[in-house]
Amino acid sequence: MNILIVGSGGREHAFALKLKESSKCGTLYLAPGNPGTESLGVNTNIKVDDFDSIEKLIIQNNIKIVLVGPEVPLVKGIKDKLTANPLLKDLIVVGPDKKGAQLEGSKDFSKMFMLKYGIPTASYKTFNQKSISSGIEYVSKHSLPVVLKADGLAAGKGVIIAETNEEAVAALKEMISDKKFGESSAKVVVEQFLKGIEVSVFALCDGEGYLLLPEAKDYKRIGEKDTGLNTGGMGAVSPVPFADEVFMKKVKERIIEPTITGLKSEGIEYTGFIFFGLISVQGDPFVIEYNARMGDPETEAVIPRIKSDLVDIFLALGVKQLDKFKLEVDKRTATTVVLVSGGYPEEFEKGFKISGVEKVEDALVYHSGTTFKNGDLTNSGGRVFAVTGFGNNIQEALKATNRAAETITWNKKYFRKDIGLDLC
Ligand code: AMP
Ligand code: GLY
């Protein structure tokens, strides 16, 4: 069975490696893929939002399953476009339609949705250019800190946590009037700050039921002990010790199940991953955000822990049998460490020659921001590799991961050495 993965990061490399383990996986296509996926499938020059070329590729190559990695094509309606073609009526699309992807594509939509279906989240109000004066009045008196979120997609940069009311007023004006995030901040959600510890929970949905995947915790700040600027993600760990049976029961009953019921009530047939960004406030889970996809780098920690055949899982999605799927999970801990270009998330230099990838033993290496230049593998992005190691506990897993992270070298490489240690 031929399969297409849309995307080019470490997440997509992790999916590619896992899918290729299945005897049911025929030719794997990637749009566009990266140097790490070259040996696993057919990389193409097709961009993630070039829907016409993706549609042609699927038809010409008899592709049966499409897995959409990143949020942009989902929010732009890749599923709607593909399923509108009568030739593709049996295509399994792992990813929601445009309406379902609004869970991630519009913070205002997701907050209204949570309010309507009684899903615990921070209290909020939404403002736009028309209501900016009441917005200024509101944030100037709001308890502190206060959280401001651009309504639309902002590549993970659209959240501002203001420590003073003056800062909040300035941020609101910047976002709405100065269009700091373009159209994405034409509307801004202002919400209460929740204090607690974060965890990411993933459910794969088939429009009826769902399959719960292993949870993970990600590390967004560039510096050790969670200091410095926010990044796309510096590492992840799975499982997360505090997400025990009691906590996960609350997550299922208070969050996952009402979300699935809510989606059905809204007439949304949601096929794909829901990423619940949660915060545990004294043991009670609240939703910080929904994403309509798997996380990166969480995927690189979660997917290798799944022992079941991923093609079987996607086939079960196609026939709405996910709630009956018996997922087999590796009990060991996986830690993922992201190797970044020095300077990231600010300016950084590209084009340095990378060595040591082939010397890594007992860890998985996923490419993210690499490219071949004159035959040499070089860094081409901020996040360059995600490396995943395993162990019987976090310390043991991290030892294997950090050993692999040291083995790969290039000029100005940087990585955090403390991923997961806050949970020990
Ligand atoms: P988001 O893009 O919505 O995930 O927000 C980015 C990060 O901001 C989250 O991972 C949290 O660390 C933080 N954050 C967002 N909303 C809140 C909130 N209501 N209370 C506390 N922290 C928040
Ligand atoms: N690691 C967070 C995300 O993928 O959005």
Side-chain angles (χ1 to χ4, degrees), residues 196-200 216-218 220 240 242 277-280 288:
I197 180 155
E198 289 178 58
V199 58
S200 308
K217 181 174 190 283
D218 80 331
K220 291 200 175 77
V240 178
F242 76 82
L278 305 180
I279 191 159
S280 166
I288 290 278

Side-chain angles (χ1 to χ4, degrees), residues 107 122 147 149 156 158-159 161 191-195 198 218 220 230 279 288-289 291:
K107 300 271 189 209
V147 184
K149 298 183 172 182
V159 175
I161 299 176
E191 68 177 37
Q192 170 205 12
F193 180 83
L194 297 174
K195 199 165 165 41
E198 289 178 58
D218 80 331
K220 291 200 175 77
N230 254 326
I279 191 159
I288 290 278
E289 63 164 347
N291 292 313

Side-chain angles (χ1 to χ4, degrees), residues 230-359:
N230 254 326
T231 69
M234 295 298 292
V237 58
S238 175
V240 178
F242 76 82
D244 57 13
E245 225 172 281
V246 176
F247 181 79
M248 289 310 291
K249 186 166 182 278
K250 291 181 194 168
V251 171
K252 282 185 215 163
E253 289 174 359
R254 299 178 191 176
I255 292 170
I256 303 180
E257 280 150 24
T259 298
I260 307 262
T261 307
L263 288 167
K264 282 195 234 170
S265 307
E266 296 295 311
I268 297 170
E269 198 189 54
Y270 195 107
T271 62
F273 296 102
I274 304 181
F275 165 154
F276 299 86
L278 305 180
I279 191 159
S280 166
V281 182
Q282 286 163 355
D284 285 321
F286 287 76
V287 178
I288 290 278
E289 63 164 347
Y290 286 115
N291 292 313
R293 52 174 173 85
M294 283 296 287
D296 193 345
E298 290 95 325
T299 303
E300 292 94 307
V302 166
I303 291 297
R305 289 192 61 225
I306 294 178
K307 290 205 226 161
S308 311
D309 185 319
L310 192 55
V311 176
D312 283 340
I313 296 176
F314 292 159
L315 291 174
L317 180 155
V319 289
K320 300 188 192 300
Q321 296 291 317
L322 280 177
D323 58 342
K324 295 191 190 67
F325 198 93
K326 282 258 161 291
L327 191 72
E328 275 185 71
V329 176
D330 189 337
K331 295 263 181 300
R332 289 178 306 161
T333 293
T335 53
T336 299
V337 168
V338 177
L339 313 188
V340 304
S341 301
Y344 170 82
E346 298 184 281
E347 296 260 303
F348 58 87
E349 284 175 75
K350 300 178 186 177
F352 294 120
K353 185 177 168 187
I354 297 167
S355 29
V357 177
E358 68 296 335
K359 292 201 196 108

Side-chain angles (χ1 to χ4, degrees), residues 74-76 96-111 113 151 268 270 290 292:
L74 292 167
V75 171
K76 284 189 174 174
D97 64 7
K98 197 171 179 170
K99 221 168 145 197
Q102 286 302 291
L103 280 186
E104 175 165 5
S106 167
K107 300 271 189 209
D108 186 40
F109 172 88
S110 75
K111 295 298 281 191
F113 178 88
D151 173 56
I268 297 170
Y270 195 107
Y290 286 115

Side-chain angles (χ1 to χ4, degrees), residues 1-5 9-22 25-30 33-43 364-367:
M1 184 175 311
N2 295 344
I3 300 175
L4 168 66
I5 299 176
R11 167 181 50 208
E12 288 74 25
H13 188 179
F15 275 124
L17 195 64
K18 179 70 192 159
L19 286 168
K20 275 314 271 185
E21 276 176 15
S22 168
C25 182
T27 305
L28 191 60
Y29 291 86
L30 294 111
N34 67 34
T37 61
E38 244 177 39
S39 59
L40 300 167
V42 180
N43 285 348
L364 298 164
V365 179
Y366 301 115
H367 290 236

